[in-house]
Amino acid sequence: MSNDYYNNKVQEIAPQYLSLSFEQVHGNWAHYLPAILDKPHATILDVGAGVGRDVSHIANLLAKRNQEDNQCRVYAVEPALQMLQKGQNTTQGQNVHWLQDSLPALDKTTRLEISFDLILLSAVWMHIPVSQRSRSLRKLANLLKPGGKIVVSLKFGMTAQEQHERKMFDISVEEVEALAQNLGLFSKLESQNKKDQLGREDVYWQTLVLQMPDDGTGAFPFIRHVAINDGKSATHKLALLRVLLRIADGHAGAVLRREPSANGDRVILPLGLVALYWIHQYKDLIDHHGLFQTPNKSPNMGFMKDNGWNQLTHRTSADFRIGNLFVGADAKALYRALSASAQNIKKMPCKYITLTNSDTRVFEVDAKTVRAKDSLFLDLDSLTKWGEFSLPETTWLALNRYACWIEPVLVSEWVKTMASYQGNQDFSSSDKQHLLYQALEWEEPKRSTTGVRQRFDTLASTQQMHCVWSAKTLKRKYDIDHSMPFSRWPNNDLWNLVPSDSQINNNKRDKLPSEKTLNAAKERMQHWWASAWLNENNLNQKQRFFAEANIALPGLSAQNDSIDDLFEALLLQRGRLKGMQQLSEW
């Protein structure tokens, strides 16, 4: 930022800024203010506060509330001394604390050891050079309370002369949102283009409200701390967090039970499932991409045993999923790979992930010895044989609710970690790191309906088929629809694929069926499940059908074989997706 320009022009600029009201400039996000100001200990920071118009308005609002127990504090940061002094005059007698400080370091502000409910960045972002933006937003994110918001107003239409004089740089909404996502922030509001209130014809503004997720427990900041700040001698910690996130996001039915403890309830998962996903995410990284996961130049990790992992080099990550059957030598090798992975999880990340400033371990493992056999069907029952994995319920809920915001942070940190390792020196340059991101792409279920279509066509040759949603008779032209939209929740399980009229499916697209719509389709959906997959003549299909459903949907036991219970769980999952993602209903 050009402090000299603003110091020299303060007498000209100040009247312009003060001629506009707070509502004129910030009306598109001001509706968030009352809830923040009602907090008894709210803290608010204005970075680049200028001549104090905005902090003066906020301080006035606080004064009008006149709540005896309200100890809100307002801080104003301004790098240009003359602007700061003018701001101090503007807010004289008000409860505003001024600091001469600047991004990206914000040294004086950081030394206050205060975190903030609201950080305002009004007409500042374009002053920050591109090379300093990632660090600047990271610094601001570190100053946020859980649930806190950063308001960023973005200026567009700057002339070349203005950019030169004021040291401004080109900006974009997409850049800010991408940086925010990598820091675990999500975009709460993105305003439409707004005309410049000072009447400059080519100038317009956009506002972003970025928020730090908050589950009300502090679990999200802990996860973020492990992902971003914690020491990493290998990628184990990131791997475990990502495994747990993927289970929380996609396998609500994986919870064996909840147990009370002195520090709150804990969630119990099958250790074998954690180990399976551990293998799933490391498999292609190591065997296919050849990426090192430790700082030294040895590719071997503790779970890569000759009689287990190294016997499965012909397999890909896609093979290690619920509902798959391993037989013969592959089954025995997988038994051993799961056992080795379970022990590695126990001895490495679980041992070293502790509560902040404490030796207390966050995750607990109760491992059991499992003898290798020549057949292994991957379902909840079989994966429980390896023992149990325990984590705080608050952490589970944070992973469950905020998966789409946490995962980019984990992936970003994993890329940085791998790029720093000696064995991955070919990928250390920034122009090569996109290859690391590609390698870390999670092997999602394939969006394929081929097998289900074949089953439909077989049934259609001997009986009349109907659209699950409309009851229309289906003939040659039909679709296989994901009842829970695949684009919002990637699930290609048998229970989630249903026959649909093509026009109906086109109308539904990626919308979430309403509870009323789903209930209306219950009888037809259950008839399709029973006729397609639950025929006693094909026990393998039935076994796969319930294995997938019982671990993906909430509240089902591993032994469930009731489609009535399955449908009730589907209704629960529908509600979860609606609540977490606010999807449009159909």
Side-chain angles (χ1 to χ4, degrees), residues 373-401:
K373 299 179 181 178
D374 58 6
S375 178
L376 177 56
F377 179 73
L378 297 175
D379 64 357
L380 203 57
D381 258 353
S382 65
L383 294 171
T384 304
K385 295 176 182 177
W386 276 267
E388 296 179 346
F389 184 98
S390 166
L391 72 158
E393 186 180 43
T394 52
T395 304
W396 170 262
L397 291 174
L399 293 168
N400 178 283
R401 292 169 180 168

Side-chain angles (χ1 to χ4, degrees), residues 62-190:
L62 283 170
K64 289 177 182 178
R65 274 170 157 70
N66 196 27
Q67 298 171 354
E68 292 184 6
D69 61 342
N70 196 309
Q71 300 178 34
C72 294
R73 291 169 291 176
V74 181
Y75 293 83
V77 165
E78 174 55 43
L81 181 59
Q82 298 299 317
M83 295 281 279
L84 182 148
Q85 291 174 343
K86 179 63 177 175
Q88 287 175 321
N89 290 335
T90 302
T91 59
Q92 191 171 6
Q94 295 181 295
N95 184 23
V96 178
H97 307 270
W98 284 85
L99 295 167
Q100 187 180 13
D101 207 354
S102 62
L103 287 166
L106 286 181
D107 286 330
K108 292 179 182 177
T109 310
T110 303
R111 283 199 293 270
L112 293 173
E113 297 293 338
I114 294 173
S115 54
F116 297 91
D117 296 279
L118 173 67
I119 299 177
L120 178 58
L121 211 66
S122 180
V124 170
W125 190 256
M126 68 278 192
H127 289 294
I128 304 173
V130 174
S131 61
Q132 295 180 7
R133 287 177 183 170
S134 178
R135 185 186 174 200
S136 294
L137 197 56
R138 181 184 290 264
K139 173 63 71 173
L140 294 172
N142 286 338
L143 289 171
L144 271 187
K145 291 180 183 179
K149 296 177 177 64
I150 302 175
V151 177
V152 187
S153 67
L154 303 171
K155 181 180 180 181
F156 298 89
M158 297 168 286
T159 65
Q161 181 181 353
E162 184 182 28
Q163 286 184 289
H164 175 72
E165 289 180 348
R166 302 195 187 193
K167 291 189 178 178
M168 295 177 175
F169 307 88
D170 291 335
I171 57 177
S172 73
V173 171
E174 291 77 12
E175 177 206 37
V176 180
E177 289 186 328
L179 291 172
Q181 190 179 54
N182 283 337
L183 294 170
L185 303 170
F186 67 94
S187 185
K188 183 80 173 177
L189 170 77
E190 180 181 326

Side-chain angles (χ1 to χ4, degrees), residues 23 37 240 291 453 586:
E23 288 85 359
L37 300 181
L240 181 59
L291 292 168
R453 278 187 164 274
W586 174 75

Side-chain angles (χ1 to χ4, degrees), residues 95-346:
N95 184 23
V96 178
H97 307 270
W98 284 85
L99 295 167
Q100 187 180 13
D101 207 354
S102 62
L103 287 166
L106 286 181
D107 286 330
K108 292 179 182 177
T109 310
T110 303
R111 283 199 293 270
L112 293 173
E113 297 293 338
I114 294 173
S115 54
F116 297 91
D117 296 279
L118 173 67
I119 299 177
L120 178 58
L121 211 66
S122 180
V124 170
W125 190 256
M126 68 278 192
H127 289 294
I128 304 173
V130 174
S131 61
Q132 295 180 7
R133 287 177 183 170
S134 178
R135 185 186 174 200
S136 294
L137 197 56
R138 181 184 290 264
K139 173 63 71 173
L140 294 172
N142 286 338
L143 289 171
L144 271 187
K145 291 180 183 179
K149 296 177 177 64
I150 302 175
V151 177
V152 187
S153 67
L154 303 171
K155 181 180 180 181
F156 298 89
M158 297 168 286
T159 65
Q161 181 181 353
E162 184 182 28
Q163 286 184 289
H164 175 72
E165 289 180 348
R166 302 195 187 193
K167 291 189 178 178
M168 295 177 175
F169 307 88
D170 291 335
I171 57 177
S172 73
V173 171
E174 291 77 12
E175 177 206 37
V176 180
E177 289 186 328
L179 291 172
Q181 190 179 54
N182 283 337
L183 294 170
L185 303 170
F186 67 94
S187 185
K188 183 80 173 177
L189 170 77
E190 180 181 326
S191 73
Q192 298 301 311
N193 295 349
K194 183 179 180 180
K195 292 182 179 179
D196 181 62
Q197 294 296 310
L198 291 174
R200 292 168 289 190
E201 288 187 2
D202 295 325
V203 175
Y204 65 96
W205 299 81
Q206 279 190 271
T207 300
L208 287 177
V209 176
L210 308 173
Q211 182 166 326
M212 178 74 75
D214 174 27
D215 60 1
T217 64
F220 185 87
F222 155 72
I223 295 167
R224 188 171 171 277
H225 168 75
V226 174
I228 296 176
N229 301 323
D230 222 358
K232 302 174 187 69
S233 60
T235 59
H236 293 108
K237 292 180 181 178
L238 294 167
L240 181 59
L241 286 182
R242 198 179 186 203
V243 161
L244 296 174
L245 180 144
R246 281 287 171 164
I247 294 172
D249 187 41
H251 292 320
V255 178
L256 298 176
R257 65 185 182 281
R258 284 170 166 81
E259 290 182 348
S261 75
N263 298 314
D265 288 355
R266 296 184 69 84
V267 168
I268 313 300
L269 302 174
L271 178 57
L273 178 62
V274 179
L276 180 70
Y277 268 35
W278 182 270
I279 294 170
H280 175 107
Q281 73 174 350
Y282 270 124
K283 192 73 175 67
D284 290 349
L285 271 180
I286 295 172
D287 286 358
H288 177 66
H289 296 284
L291 292 168
F292 290 74
Q293 302 301 312
T294 59
N296 55 50
K297 294 197 77 171
S298 169
N300 191 56
M301 297 185 78
F303 53 88
M304 298 169 61
K305 306 296 185 183
D306 286 339
N307 64 350
W309 178 281
N310 292 336
Q311 298 296 315
L312 295 167
T313 53
H314 58 289
R315 293 283 194 166
T316 68
S317 61
D319 294 327
F320 302 97
R321 63 178 301 275
I322 300 300
N324 278 1
L325 174 67
F326 283 68
V327 296
D330 279 7
K332 291 182 178 180
L334 181 55
Y335 268 104
R336 296 176 184 125
L338 287 168
S339 295
S341 296
Q343 288 300 320
N344 194 245
I345 291 166
K346 179 178 180 178

Side-chain angles (χ1 to χ4, degrees), residues 295-581:
N296 55 50
K297 294 197 77 171
S298 169
N300 191 56
M301 297 185 78
F303 53 88
M304 298 169 61
K305 306 296 185 183
D306 286 339
N307 64 350
W309 178 281
N310 292 336
Q311 298 296 315
L312 295 167
T313 53
H314 58 289
R315 293 283 194 166
T316 68
S317 61
D319 294 327
F320 302 97
R321 63 178 301 275
I322 300 300
N324 278 1
L325 174 67
F326 283 68
V327 296
D330 279 7
K332 291 182 178 180
L334 181 55
Y335 268 104
R336 296 176 184 125
L338 287 168
S339 295
S341 296
Q343 288 300 320
N344 194 245
I345 291 166
K346 179 178 180 178
K347 294 176 180 178
M348 295 302 294
C350 286
K351 181 178 179 180
Y352 295 108
I353 296 178
T354 59
L355 294 175
T356 308
N357 301 320
S358 167
D359 293 329
T360 303
R361 296 181 187 180
V362 177
F363 306 116
E364 299 173 1
V365 171
D366 179 15
K368 296 180 179 178
T369 302
V370 182
R371 186 170 60 87
K373 299 179 181 178
D374 58 6
S375 178
L376 177 56
F377 179 73
L378 297 175
D379 64 357
L380 203 57
D381 258 353
S382 65
L383 294 171
T384 304
K385 295 176 182 177
W386 276 267
E388 296 179 346
F389 184 98
S390 166
L391 72 158
E393 186 180 43
T394 52
T395 304
W396 170 262
L397 291 174
L399 293 168
N400 178 283
R401 292 169 180 168
Y402 307 127
C404 60
W405 299 307
I406 295 173
E407 182 154 39
V409 181
L410 297 179
V411 172
S412 176
E413 291 303 311
W414 201 328
V415 165
K416 293 174 189 175
T417 302
M418 284 195 299
S420 70
Y421 290 163
Q422 186 180 4
N424 300 326
Q425 58 187 356
D426 291 344
F427 302 94
S428 59
S429 62
S430 57
D431 62 321
K432 294 289 185 66
Q433 289 185 16
H434 70 281
L435 298 172
L436 299 180
Y437 277 99
Q438 290 175 8
L440 276 169
E441 286 183 4
W442 189 272
E443 183 68 35
E444 297 281 12
K446 294 291 187 291
R447 185 169 183 161
S448 172
T449 61
T450 303
V452 181
R453 278 187 164 274
Q454 291 172 348
R455 185 64 182 141
F456 178 94
D457 291 340
T458 299
L459 293 173
S461 65
T462 59
Q463 64 188 69
Q464 197 173 63
M465 306 297 289
H466 297 92
C467 170
V468 158
W469 304 118
S470 67
K472 287 184 179 180
T473 300
L474 299 179
K475 296 182 180 178
R476 292 183 179 179
K477 192 174 182 181
Y478 68 91
D479 286 340
I480 298 297
D481 176 39
H482 291 80
S483 61
M484 300 295 102
F486 188 91
S487 60
R488 305 301 184 189
W489 189 55
N491 181 290
N492 211 60
D493 293 348
L494 296 180
W495 61 267
N496 197 35
L497 294 163
V498 296
S500 171
D501 175 79
S502 296
Q503 186 175 352
I504 296 289
N505 189 38
N506 191 52
N507 289 336
K508 177 177 177 282
R509 300 180 68 84
D510 60 357
K511 293 179 181 177
L512 186 71
S514 68
E515 185 171 351
K516 181 179 179 181
T517 300
L518 203 54
N519 275 317
K522 176 180 178 179
E523 186 177 341
R524 292 184 295 274
M525 186 175 286
Q526 289 186 321
H527 176 75
W528 160 251
W529 290 341
S531 58
W533 313 118
L534 307 183
N535 191 311
E536 295 298 332
N537 294 329
N538 195 333
L539 293 178
N540 287 340
Q541 284 184 341
K542 181 178 181 180
Q543 190 179 22
R544 176 189 165 186
F545 177 86
F546 280 114
E548 292 176 341
N550 292 345
I551 204 166
L553 296 173
L556 297 176
S557 71
Q559 294 76 34
N560 172 63
D561 60 1
S562 164
I563 56 174
D564 285 328
D565 289 347
L566 194 162
F567 189 84
E568 291 302 312
L570 177 55
L571 286 172
L572 283 176
Q573 179 64 10
R574 192 215 73 85
R576 288 179 68 249
L577 292 175
K578 173 64 179 173
M580 289 188 294
Q581 300 191 31

